[in-house]
Amino acid sequence: MNRFVLALALLCTSLFATVSYYFESANLVIKGLETYDSVKITIDQINFTVNAADIRIPWQKNTDALVKLVPITNGQEKEPITLKINANKDLPPKMTVNIPSYVPAEKITFPVSLSDDWDEASKLTIRTYLDGRVFDGFKNGSIVIDAFLLHSGEHRLRITCKDSGSNVVDRTYRFTVVSQIPAPPMVNLGRVVSNRTHRAYFMENSELKQVDFKQDLFDRDFYFVCDVDGAGNESFPVLNYVNKKLDRVTTMNLITLNSGLLASAEYTIFGKLVIPSSETVVLRQNATLKIPQGCEITVKGTLIAEPGTRITGQGRLTIADEGRFAAIGARLDVNLSISGSSISWFSDLDLSKTAFSVTRAAAISFKNVKTNELELTNAEKVWIYSCEVGKLVIKNVGKFLVTNSKINHLNVSNFSQGRLYATSLYSNDNTILISNFSVVELIDSWISANKCAQVQDYSILRLRSTQINGDVAFNLSGYSILDSFANEISSSTALYAKDSRVRFLKTKILGEVIKVGRSEISSM
C-alpha cells in the first residue's frame, strides 16, 4: 500500500511539474497554484483551506510528509496534487544586495534581502569587512558605508551570512568611490551635448521638478540641465532656454509688458507692471530697461536679460510666483527681489551695486558672479560656481553646491545642507559659522582665518582633503559633530570641543586639542 501511495505521489508530481515547494523561516512555501482561488490541504489526515496566492505552512526541520493539495476555483474542486515533502536539507542562507560599481563620496545605504530555510532573517549572523578590516556596516537590514571617509578609488566589501546550522554564504563586492563632480554639459542651439545622463530642473504647478533623460532635447523652454556620472554625482547646471520668435517692442514708454523683444533702445516703464505667467520678455542688443523710483516690474512669466543689456533705476524688479528670470552678462543696477517659487539664473555679473534679496525661491544658480554680500533664504536648490562673495548667508536651503569659489565669510543655518568643492575661504576673523541643525561638507578646499569654523546647535561639519590654517581651527558646541578625513590642520588650537563628537581619520593635526564637557574625540 505504501508503495502504491508513493508511486501515485510521484505520478502526480510529474503531472503537475509547475507546482514546487521550498522552505523559508521554518515555513513550507508552495508555489504554482496562484491562478486558483484557494487550496484545500490535507496533512496527516488534518484538513484546512488557504488562499492559493500565499501558501505558507509552519514546518519543523527533518519532518517528512505527504501533502495533498486540491485547487478550488469558483467553488469547484480540481484534480488533486500530492507533494512528497523532504525537510532533511539545511541550505545556506540566501542574500541579495545590489552594490553599484561607482558610488559618490557620501553616506550610502544598500538594502539587503536575507532569507533562510529554517531561520528567521533576524536570527542570521552578518559580518562585514571593508578592505580586509571588520567594520560594523550592517544596520537595520542594510549595509551602511560612509564613503565620505574613504579614499577615492576602488574598495572591497565582503559580507558573510551564517545560519544556526553553521551554513555560510560569503560574497565580495568591489566598488569605486568618486569624490569629484562631473563637468557641466555643453548646450548648442538648444541641444544638450554630452554622452552622460542629464538631469533637468524646471517649474511645474508651483513645484520644482527633476527629470533624468538621455536624449539631446528636453520638452521645456526654460530649464537648468546638469550631467550625472555613474556614481550619481551631479554637475553644476547649465541654463537652457528656447529663443522664441518675438515681435520687437517699438514703444519706448511702457505701461504694459507682455511678450516681446526689447532691443537696441532704452525703454522706460511707468507704474507697476506685471509680466504674466504665459508671457516672455527678452532684452537683447544693448537694450536698457529703466524702472524709475516708485515703479515696479513683477515677473510671473519669463524675463531674460542677455549679454550687454541693462536693467536700471530706483524702482523694483520682483521675481514672484513661478517667475523665471535669467541675467547673462547683463548689468543690474536695480532693487532686485526674489520672493516666490521661482527659478533664476545669474552669470557673468557684478552684483556689488545691486540691492539683491532672496526670501523664497525654488532654484537659483550663480556662475562667475561677484558680490559683497549674498543672502539666500528659503530655497530648495542653490548652485554657486566660480564666484567671489564677501559674505554668503544661507538660511533654510534644502541643498546647496558651491564649487571653485572664493568666500570671506560663510554663515549656514536653519536646517540648511550643502557641499563646497575646491573653494577658498579666507578671513581675518571667523570665516565659517554653522548653526541650528545644518550640515556642511568641504572637499579639496582651503580655509585660512583667525577662527576657521564655529559649529553649534546640533550642526555637522565634514571635511575631506582640505587644508585648515588659523589661530583656532574648529570650535564646536551644542552637541555638534566634526568629521575630518585626510585633512591637514595647522593652528595654535586645532580643536575646542564642548559637548560634541569629533572623528579624525588620517588627519594631520598640528595644534592643541581641548575637550570640555561630554565631548567624544576619536582618531584613526
Side-chain angles (χ1 to χ4, degrees):
M1 183 66 180
N2 289 336
R3 291 181 180 178
F4 174 76
V5 172
L6 179 58
L8 181 60
L10 293 173
L11 177 62
C12 291
T13 302
S14 63
L15 290 175
F16 297 90
T18 57
V19 179
S20 62
Y21 73 91
Y22 60 91
F23 294 100
E24 184 178 278
S25 303
N27 285 281
L28 171 66
V29 182
I30 299 175
K31 294 294 183 180
L33 300 173
E34 291 82 4
T35 57
Y36 298 97
D37 296 335
S38 59
V39 177
K40 181 180 178 181
I41 300 177
T42 302
I43 306 174
D44 293 334
Q45 299 182 346
I46 299 175
N47 300 317
F48 55 94
T49 301
V50 299
N51 189 330
D54 186 21
I55 304 177
R56 302 176 69 89
I57 306 168
W59 206 269
Q60 288 187 349
K61 186 179 178 181
N62 298 322
T63 301
D64 296 348
L66 291 176
V67 177
K68 181 181 178 182
L69 308 170
V70 180
I72 301 173
T73 298
N74 297 326
Q76 299 294 317
E77 294 186 357
K78 305 298 181 181
E79 191 72 20
I81 306 165
T82 301
L83 294 179
K84 182 184 179 182
I85 306 302
N86 182 346
N88 295 317
K89 294 182 179 180
D90 189 357
L91 301 175
K94 295 180 180 179
M95 178 174 64
T96 302
V97 55
N98 181 25
I99 307 293
S101 299
Y102 300 93
V103 300
E106 61 187 44
K107 185 176 288 187
I108 44 183
T109 301
F110 307 113
V112 180
S113 175
L114 295 170
S115 65
D116 187 70
D117 42 9
W118 302 113
D119 293 328
E120 295 284 347
S122 60
K123 302 298 183 181
L124 300 173
T125 301
I126 309 295
R127 287 191 172 89
T128 53
Y129 306 81
L130 187 59
D131 296 329
R133 295 185 177 182
V134 177
F135 84 110
D136 185 18
F138 184 72
K139 300 175 182 178
N140 301 320
S142 296
I143 301 294
V144 180
I145 298 176
D146 193 349
F148 189 88
L149 305 178
L150 297 177
H151 281 297
S152 299
E154 187 177 84
H155 296 269
R156 289 177 293 109
L157 172 65
R158 180 187 172 201
I159 310 171
T160 65
C161 177
K162 184 172 73 172
D163 64 16
S164 59
S166 295
N167 299 295
V168 177
V169 59
D170 190 331
R171 304 271 177 80
T172 297
Y173 306 88
R174 295 180 184 274
F175 64 91
T176 299
V177 175
V178 182
S179 62
Q180 298 301 313
I181 60 175
M186 298 291 291
V187 173
N188 184 19
L189 300 176
R191 295 181 179 272
V192 183
V193 183
S194 168
N195 293 325
R196 298 185 185 272
T197 296
H198 319 306
R199 178 167 295 158
Y201 289 94
F202 58 94
M203 295 302 302
E204 186 177 275
N205 298 325
S206 299
E207 292 184 3
L208 181 65
K209 299 292 185 178
Q210 171 187 316
V211 174
D212 289 355
F213 65 103
K214 292 287 292 185
Q215 63 274 20
D216 59 358
L217 290 174
F218 187 69
D219 187 23
R220 287 294 184 278
D221 61 358
F222 190 106
Y223 64 97
F224 294 170
V225 57
C226 308
D227 263 3
V228 182
D229 65 16
N233 292 307
E234 181 183 282
S235 75
F236 186 83
V238 174
L239 173 65
N240 198 0
Y241 66 92
V242 175
N243 277 313
K244 297 182 178 180
K245 292 183 179 180
L246 301 172
D247 293 332
R248 182 169 177 173
V249 177
T250 57
T251 303
M252 302 298 108
N253 297 323
L254 305 174
I255 58 174
T256 62
L257 199 52
N258 296 320
S259 289
L261 176 64
L262 309 182
S264 304
E266 182 178 289
Y267 299 83
T268 303
I269 74 155
F270 293 91
K272 297 184 178 182
L273 279 59
V274 175
I275 300 178
S277 59
S278 59
E279 305 295 319
T280 297
V281 176
V282 176
L283 279 72
R284 187 174 295 163
Q285 298 172 354
N286 299 317
T288 297
L289 179 61
K290 295 185 66 175
I291 308 175
Q293 186 173 3
C295 298
E296 181 178 0
I297 297 177
T298 300
V299 179
K300 297 184 178 182
T302 303
L303 175 61
I304 300 172
E306 294 187 345
T309 62
R310 292 181 61 193
I311 302 177
T312 184
Q314 298 298 313
R316 177 171 293 277
L317 173 62
T318 301
I319 317 301
D321 297 341
E322 290 189 41
R324 306 182 300 183
F325 177 71
I328 310 156
R331 182 173 174 178
L332 303 178
D333 297 327
V334 69
N335 296 313
L336 176 58
S337 173
I338 299 176
S339 60
S341 297
S342 56
I343 181 168
S344 301
W345 174 273
F346 299 87
S347 62
D348 304 311
L349 301 173
D350 187 344
L351 297 178
S352 301
K353 297 181 180 180
T354 304
F356 183 73
S357 66
V358 178
T359 56
R360 188 164 69 95
I364 185 168
S365 179
F366 301 88
K367 179 182 178 183
N368 297 330
V369 171
K370 182 178 180 180
T371 182
N372 296 326
E373 183 172 349
L374 185 61
E375 182 170 333
L376 309 171
T377 306
N378 302 323
E380 292 183 51
K381 293 276 292 188
V382 171
W383 294 271
I384 298 174
Y385 175 78
S386 191
C387 294
E388 294 185 25
V389 184
K391 183 177 182 181
L392 176 60
V393 179
I394 295 176
K395 298 180 181 179
N396 192 28
V397 172
K399 207 78 170 180
F400 67 88
L401 174 66
V402 181
T403 59
N404 298 96
S405 296
K406 296 180 180 179
I407 301 171
N408 296 128
H409 300 278
L410 174 65
N411 188 330
V412 182
S413 63
N414 294 16
F415 301 90
S416 298
Q417 184 172 351
R419 178 175 285 190
L420 295 87
Y421 285 93
T423 292
S424 298
L425 298 107
Y426 171 81
S427 172
N428 292 323
D429 192 14
N430 189 357
T431 190
I432 300 176
L433 173 60
I434 308 168
S435 62
N436 197 11
F437 299 92
S438 296
V439 180
V440 175
E441 296 177 336
L442 287 91
I443 296 180
D444 297 331
S445 294
W446 179 71
I447 308 172
S448 179
N450 183 14
K451 298 177 181 178
C452 294
Q454 182 173 342
V455 189
Q456 60 192 37
D457 305 329
Y458 302 92
S459 295
I460 299 173
L461 173 61
R462 289 158 61 88
L463 303 100
R464 174 189 174 98
S465 304
T466 294
Q467 176 75 43
I468 303 100
N469 301 306
D471 292 339
V472 178
F474 302 109
N475 187 325
L476 272 73
S477 63
Y479 303 97
S480 296
I481 294 174
L482 171 66
D483 285 335
S484 173
F485 176 75
N487 302 300
E488 292 188 9
I489 303 172
S490 179
S491 301
S492 300
T493 302
L495 172 69
Y496 177 89
K498 180 180 180 181
D499 300 327
S500 298
R501 194 203 75 189
V502 179
R503 288 188 296 177
F504 291 119
L505 287 83
K506 300 181 179 180
T507 295
K508 183 178 180 182
I509 304 174
L510 297 175
E512 185 180 8
V513 174
I514 301 173
K515 174 183 173 182
V516 178
R518 301 176 62 183
S519 292
E520 298 177 7
I521 301 176
S522 62
S523 299
M524 292 182 63

